[in-house]
Amino acid sequence: EAQVTQNPRYLITVTGKKLTVTCSQNMNHEYMSWYRQDPGLGLRQIYYSMNVEVTDKGDVPEGYKVSRKEKRNFPLILESPSPNQTSLYFCASSPDWGQPQHFGDGTRLSIL
Amino acid sequence: GQNIDQPTEMTATEGAIVQINCTYQTSGFNGLFWYQQHAGEAPTFLSYNVLDGLEEKGRFSSFLSRSKGYSYLLLKELQMKDSASYLCAVYSNYQLIWGAGTKLIIKP
């Protein structure tokens, strides 16, 4: 089944404790992206990747890192999480940029 | 700056027709998407417009006017399961810029 898989689905953690949210897609898509979704603000892009080893900042990259060492994986890293990063996070992929994106089920992060 | 506007909330009656508008101001334009998002779930793709005009897909249609920076999503024969948020998004210079979404409430 074609899918984008995110882990974990839920996480409660504390300020400053490094965490990684994994994202994997099995559709051989070139383009991958991370978003955060907050009430009243809609989806905001954190980082995106056009292909392996090619990543670029979205609208809200501060406090986040990503890597794209393989086509299928695009992990999101929070080196020192803070409470303002409490949000619902989505990973998405598409065959190429400009095409409809397929979303993972989301990761709800709470930073205390 | 880049901006996408859509109404925050709309209410409609089961079986009726509803039109959700979206206006955009972006530095580039490579296509406009509509997604549906049920509460607590991931967005799912509904439609895509890159040229002016109407795209029809069953009960859902989407219209685009690039010169006016305007799109709408038309939902016909509304069903209770259509209660969801509808998100407008524009591809601008390799990034997808999203509106805040329109929450559609369907009443029996």
Side-chain angles (χ1 to χ4, degrees), chain B residues 75-101:
Chain B
L75 292 77
K76 303 175 188 174
E77 301 169 14
L78 286 170
Q79 302 174 9
M80 297 305 293
K81 67 178 182 179
D82 297 330
S83 291
S85 288
Y86 291 85
L87 314 179
C88 174
V90 171
Y91 247 115
S92 171
N93 304 325
Y94 306 116
Q95 285 186 257
L96 200 52
I97 311 298
W98 297 80

mmCIF file of all heavy atoms in Angstrom, chain B residues 75-101:
data_model
loop_
_atom_site.group_PDB
_atom_site.id
_atom_site.type_symbol
_atom_site.label_atom_id
_atom_site.label_comp_id
_atom_site.label_asym_id
_atom_site.label_seq_id
_atom_site.Cartn_x
_atom_site.Cartn_y
_atom_site.Cartn_z
ATOM 1 N N LEU B 75 -19.118 22.403 -3.924
ATOM 2 C CA LEU B 75 -19.535 21.080 -3.465
ATOM 3 C C LEU B 75 -21.039 20.949 -3.677
ATOM 4 O O LEU B 75 -21.826 21.742 -3.157
ATOM 5 C CB LEU B 75 -19.221 20.878 -1.987
ATOM 6 C CG LEU B 75 -17.766 20.786 -1.554
ATOM 7 C CD1 LEU B 75 -17.095 22.139 -1.509
ATOM 8 C CD2 LEU B 75 -17.664 20.107 -0.197
ATOM 9 N N LYS B 76 -21.438 19.935 -4.442
ATOM 10 C CA LYS B 76 -22.864 19.731 -4.740
ATOM 11 C C LYS B 76 -23.397 18.558 -3.937
ATOM 12 O O LYS B 76 -22.639 17.708 -3.459
ATOM 13 C CB LYS B 76 -23.043 19.432 -6.234
ATOM 14 C CG LYS B 76 -22.501 20.497 -7.154
ATOM 15 C CD LYS B 76 -22.624 20.051 -8.614
ATOM 16 C CE LYS B 76 -21.913 21.006 -9.534
ATOM 17 N NZ LYS B 76 -21.896 20.519 -10.935
ATOM 18 N N GLU B 77 -24.736 18.525 -3.806
ATOM 19 C CA GLU B 77 -25.414 17.399 -3.141
ATOM 20 C C GLU B 77 -24.720 17.058 -1.825
ATOM 21 O O GLU B 77 -24.289 15.927 -1.592
ATOM 22 C CB GLU B 77 -25.443 16.176 -4.055
ATOM 23 C CG GLU B 77 -26.140 16.423 -5.374
ATOM 24 C CD GLU B 77 -25.909 15.282 -6.372
ATOM 25 O OE1 GLU B 77 -25.437 14.199 -5.970
ATOM 26 O OE2 GLU B 77 -26.178 15.510 -7.568
ATOM 27 N N LEU B 78 -24.622 18.061 -0.974
ATOM 28 C CA LEU B 78 -23.855 17.911 0.258
ATOM 29 C C LEU B 78 -24.337 16.735 1.097
ATOM 30 O O LEU B 78 -25.536 16.488 1.246
ATOM 31 C CB LEU B 78 -23.941 19.193 1.082
ATOM 32 C CG LEU B 78 -23.116 20.365 0.559
ATOM 33 C CD1 LEU B 78 -23.461 21.648 1.311
ATOM 34 C CD2 LEU B 78 -21.634 20.066 0.665
ATOM 35 N N GLN B 79 -23.351 16.037 1.670
ATOM 36 C CA GLN B 79 -23.623 14.918 2.562
ATOM 37 C C GLN B 79 -23.008 15.239 3.913
ATOM 38 O O GLN B 79 -22.073 16.045 4.015
ATOM 39 C CB GLN B 79 -23.018 13.631 1.979
ATOM 40 C CG GLN B 79 -23.552 13.294 0.593
ATOM 41 C CD GLN B 79 -22.839 12.101 -0.039
ATOM 42 O OE1 GLN B 79 -22.049 11.414 0.598
ATOM 43 N NE2 GLN B 79 -23.129 11.853 -1.310
ATOM 44 N N MET B 80 -23.512 14.585 4.947
ATOM 45 C CA MET B 80 -22.995 14.847 6.299
ATOM 46 C C MET B 80 -21.499 14.591 6.381
ATOM 47 O O MET B 80 -20.768 15.287 7.086
ATOM 48 C CB MET B 80 -23.750 14.013 7.326
ATOM 49 C CG MET B 80 -25.242 14.332 7.438
ATOM 50 S SD MET B 80 -25.582 16.069 7.778
ATOM 51 C CE MET B 80 -24.930 16.221 9.438
ATOM 52 N N LYS B 81 -21.010 13.612 5.612
ATOM 53 C CA LYS B 81 -19.582 13.281 5.652
ATOM 54 C C LYS B 81 -18.708 14.385 5.044
ATOM 55 O O LYS B 81 -17.482 14.337 5.163
ATOM 56 C CB LYS B 81 -19.319 11.972 4.913
ATOM 57 C CG LYS B 81 -19.557 12.043 3.404
ATOM 58 C CD LYS B 81 -19.220 10.723 2.730
ATOM 59 C CE LYS B 81 -19.415 10.812 1.224
ATOM 60 N NZ LYS B 81 -19.064 9.541 0.539
ATOM 61 N N ASP B 82 -19.333 15.359 4.380
ATOM 62 C CA ASP B 82 -18.570 16.486 3.832
ATOM 63 C C ASP B 82 -18.206 17.506 4.905
ATOM 64 O O ASP B 82 -17.474 18.472 4.622
ATOM 65 C CB ASP B 82 -19.357 17.186 2.716
ATOM 66 C CG ASP B 82 -19.617 16.283 1.527
ATOM 67 O OD1 ASP B 82 -18.777 15.389 1.270
ATOM 68 O OD2 ASP B 82 -20.657 16.461 0.868
ATOM 69 N N SER B 83 -18.715 17.330 6.112
ATOM 70 C CA SER B 83 -18.329 18.201 7.226
ATOM 71 C C SER B 83 -16.840 18.015 7.489
ATOM 72 O O SER B 83 -16.393 16.928 7.881
ATOM 73 C CB SER B 83 -19.110 17.840 8.493
ATOM 74 O OG SER B 83 -20.466 18.169 8.362
ATOM 75 N N ALA B 84 -16.074 19.069 7.244
ATOM 76 C CA ALA B 84 -14.609 18.988 7.319
ATOM 77 C C ALA B 84 -14.067 20.394 7.103
ATOM 78 O O ALA B 84 -14.819 21.331 6.851
ATOM 79 C CB ALA B 84 -14.058 18.053 6.242
ATOM 80 N N SER B 85 -12.750 20.519 7.186
ATOM 81 C CA SER B 85 -12.095 21.754 6.777
ATOM 82 C C SER B 85 -11.591 21.601 5.356
ATOM 83 O O SER B 85 -11.142 20.513 4.965
ATOM 84 C CB SER B 85 -10.933 22.087 7.708
ATOM 85 O OG SER B 85 -11.404 22.518 8.951
ATOM 86 N N TYR B 86 -11.682 22.685 4.583
ATOM 87 C CA TYR B 86 -11.248 22.673 3.195
ATOM 88 C C TYR B 86 -10.098 23.671 3.060
ATOM 89 O O TYR B 86 -10.240 24.843 3.380
ATOM 90 C CB TYR B 86 -12.414 22.977 2.262
ATOM 91 C CG TYR B 86 -13.391 21.834 2.278
ATOM 92 C CD1 TYR B 86 -14.385 21.771 3.258
ATOM 93 C CD2 TYR B 86 -13.277 20.784 1.374
ATOM 94 C CE1 TYR B 86 -15.258 20.690 3.322
ATOM 95 C CE2 TYR B 86 -14.143 19.702 1.427
ATOM 96 C CZ TYR B 86 -15.122 19.661 2.403
ATOM 97 O OH TYR B 86 -15.964 18.585 2.466
ATOM 98 N N LEU B 87 -8.960 23.172 2.606
ATOM 99 C CA LEU B 87 -7.730 23.943 2.573
ATOM 100 C C LEU B 87 -7.370 24.305 1.142
ATOM 101 O O LEU B 87 -7.342 23.437 0.270
ATOM 102 C CB LEU B 87 -6.571 23.141 3.185
ATOM 103 C CG LEU B 87 -6.834 22.417 4.498
ATOM 104 C CD1 LEU B 87 -5.579 21.665 4.941
ATOM 105 C CD2 LEU B 87 -7.279 23.377 5.576
ATOM 106 N N CYS B 88 -7.084 25.577 0.926
ATOM 107 C CA CYS B 88 -6.621 26.082 -0.372
ATOM 108 C C CYS B 88 -5.110 26.253 -0.265
ATOM 109 O O CYS B 88 -4.604 26.747 0.753
ATOM 110 C CB CYS B 88 -7.317 27.412 -0.637
ATOM 111 S SG CYS B 88 -6.773 28.307 -2.092
ATOM 112 N N ALA B 89 -4.374 25.839 -1.292
ATOM 113 C CA ALA B 89 -2.914 25.951 -1.251
ATOM 114 C C ALA B 89 -2.387 26.304 -2.638
ATOM 115 O O ALA B 89 -2.899 25.816 -3.641
ATOM 116 C CB ALA B 89 -2.297 24.645 -0.770
ATOM 117 N N VAL B 90 -1.371 27.133 -2.684
ATOM 118 C CA VAL B 90 -0.771 27.583 -3.948
ATOM 119 C C VAL B 90 0.699 27.195 -3.985
ATOM 120 O O VAL B 90 1.436 27.436 -3.026
ATOM 121 C CB VAL B 90 -0.904 29.117 -4.099
ATOM 122 C CG1 VAL B 90 -0.096 29.611 -5.304
ATOM 123 C CG2 VAL B 90 -2.362 29.503 -4.233
ATOM 124 N N TYR B 91 1.113 26.600 -5.089
ATOM 125 C CA TYR B 91 2.540 26.334 -5.305
ATOM 126 C C TYR B 91 3.192 27.611 -5.823
ATOM 127 O O TYR B 91 2.824 28.133 -6.861
ATOM 128 C CB TYR B 91 2.747 25.230 -6.325
ATOM 129 C CG TYR B 91 3.355 23.984 -5.731
ATOM 130 C CD1 TYR B 91 2.648 22.798 -5.692
ATOM 131 C CD2 TYR B 91 4.637 23.992 -5.186
ATOM 132 C CE1 TYR B 91 3.183 21.653 -5.135
ATOM 133 C CE2 TYR B 91 5.178 22.859 -4.611
ATOM 134 C CZ TYR B 91 4.447 21.684 -4.596
ATOM 135 O OH TYR B 91 4.973 20.563 -4.034
ATOM 136 N N SER B 92 4.169 28.082 -5.048
ATOM 137 C CA SER B 92 4.869 29.306 -5.404
ATOM 138 C C SER B 92 6.355 29.070 -5.213
ATOM 139 O O SER B 92 6.818 28.903 -4.086
ATOM 140 C CB SER B 92 4.389 30.459 -4.514
ATOM 141 O OG SER B 92 5.184 31.611 -4.686
ATOM 142 N N ASN B 93 7.106 29.015 -6.307
ATOM 143 C CA ASN B 93 8.567 28.881 -6.225
ATOM 144 C C ASN B 93 8.985 27.677 -5.378
ATOM 145 O O ASN B 93 9.732 27.816 -4.413
ATOM 146 C CB ASN B 93 9.182 30.157 -5.663
ATOM 147 C CG ASN B 93 8.807 31.381 -6.468
ATOM 148 O OD1 ASN B 93 8.666 31.328 -7.686
ATOM 149 N ND2 ASN B 93 8.613 32.492 -5.785
ATOM 150 N N TYR B 94 8.507 26.503 -5.732
ATOM 151 C CA TYR B 94 8.857 25.216 -5.117
ATOM 152 C C TYR B 94 8.254 24.994 -3.738
ATOM 153 O O TYR B 94 8.442 23.958 -3.134
ATOM 154 C CB TYR B 94 10.379 25.028 -5.008
ATOM 155 C CG TYR B 94 11.106 25.206 -6.308
ATOM 156 C CD1 TYR B 94 12.021 26.241 -6.465
ATOM 157 C CD2 TYR B 94 10.868 24.355 -7.378
ATOM 158 C CE1 TYR B 94 12.678 26.417 -7.662
ATOM 159 C CE2 TYR B 94 11.517 24.524 -8.586
ATOM 160 C CZ TYR B 94 12.429 25.561 -8.719
ATOM 161 O OH TYR B 94 13.071 25.745 -9.920
ATOM 162 N N GLN B 95 7.529 25.998 -3.200
ATOM 163 C CA GLN B 95 6.887 25.832 -1.899
ATOM 164 C C GLN B 95 5.385 25.828 -2.058
ATOM 165 O O GLN B 95 4.832 26.506 -2.933
ATOM 166 C CB GLN B 95 7.253 26.999 -0.978
ATOM 167 C CG GLN B 95 8.642 26.946 -0.415
ATOM 168 C CD GLN B 95 8.836 28.073 0.594
ATOM 169 O OE1 GLN B 95 9.460 29.073 0.306
ATOM 170 N NE2 GLN B 95 8.264 27.897 1.773
ATOM 171 N N LEU B 96 4.724 25.073 -1.178
ATOM 172 C CA LEU B 96 3.270 25.068 -1.151
ATOM 173 C C LEU B 96 2.836 25.981 -0.007
ATOM 174 O O LEU B 96 3.171 25.732 1.150
ATOM 175 C CB LEU B 96 2.762 23.643 -0.945
ATOM 176 C CG LEU B 96 1.327 23.316 -1.342
ATOM 177 C CD1 LEU B 96 1.023 23.751 -2.758
ATOM 178 C CD2 LEU B 96 1.046 21.845 -1.163
ATOM 179 N N ILE B 97 2.130 27.068 -0.353
ATOM 180 C CA ILE B 97 1.655 28.042 0.631
ATOM 181 C C ILE B 97 0.187 27.749 0.906
ATOM 182 O O ILE B 97 -0.605 27.654 -0.035
ATOM 183 C CB ILE B 97 1.804 29.487 0.104
ATOM 184 C CG1 ILE B 97 3.205 29.721 -0.466
ATOM 185 C CG2 ILE B 97 1.479 30.485 1.204
ATOM 186 C CD1 ILE B 97 4.326 29.580 0.530
ATOM 187 N N TRP B 98 -0.168 27.656 2.194
ATOM 188 C CA TRP B 98 -1.510 27.209 2.574
ATOM 189 C C TRP B 98 -2.349 28.334 3.166
ATOM 190 O O TRP B 98 -1.839 29.167 3.922
ATOM 191 C CB TRP B 98 -1.410 26.095 3.613
ATOM 192 C CG TRP B 98 -0.735 24.870 3.110
ATOM 193 C CD1 TRP B 98 0.605 24.663 2.988
ATOM 194 C CD2 TRP B 98 -1.366 23.670 2.656
ATOM 195 N NE1 TRP B 98 0.842 23.405 2.482
ATOM 196 C CE2 TRP B 98 -0.350 22.770 2.271
ATOM 197 C CE3 TRP B 98 -2.702 23.262 2.544
ATOM 198 C CZ2 TRP B 98 -0.614 21.494 1.770
ATOM 199 C CZ3 TRP B 98 -2.974 21.989 2.050
ATOM 200 C CH2 TRP B 98 -1.934 21.126 1.672
ATOM 201 N N GLY B 99 -3.636 28.306 2.855
ATOM 202 C CA GLY B 99 -4.591 29.122 3.588
ATOM 203 C C GLY B 99 -4.882 28.454 4.934
ATOM 204 O O GLY B 99 -4.521 27.298 5.157
ATOM 205 N N ALA B 100 -5.549 29.187 5.810
ATOM 206 C CA ALA B 100 -5.836 28.676 7.154
ATOM 207 C C ALA B 100 -6.962 27.648 7.159
ATOM 208 O O ALA B 100 -7.186 26.973 8.159
ATOM 209 C CB ALA B 100 -6.165 29.822 8.101
ATOM 210 N N GLY B 101 -7.687 27.538 6.022
ATOM 211 C CA GLY B 101 -8.738 26.530 5.939
ATOM 212 C C GLY B 101 -10.109 27.084 6.240
ATOM 213 O O GLY B 101 -10.255 28.063 6.993
#
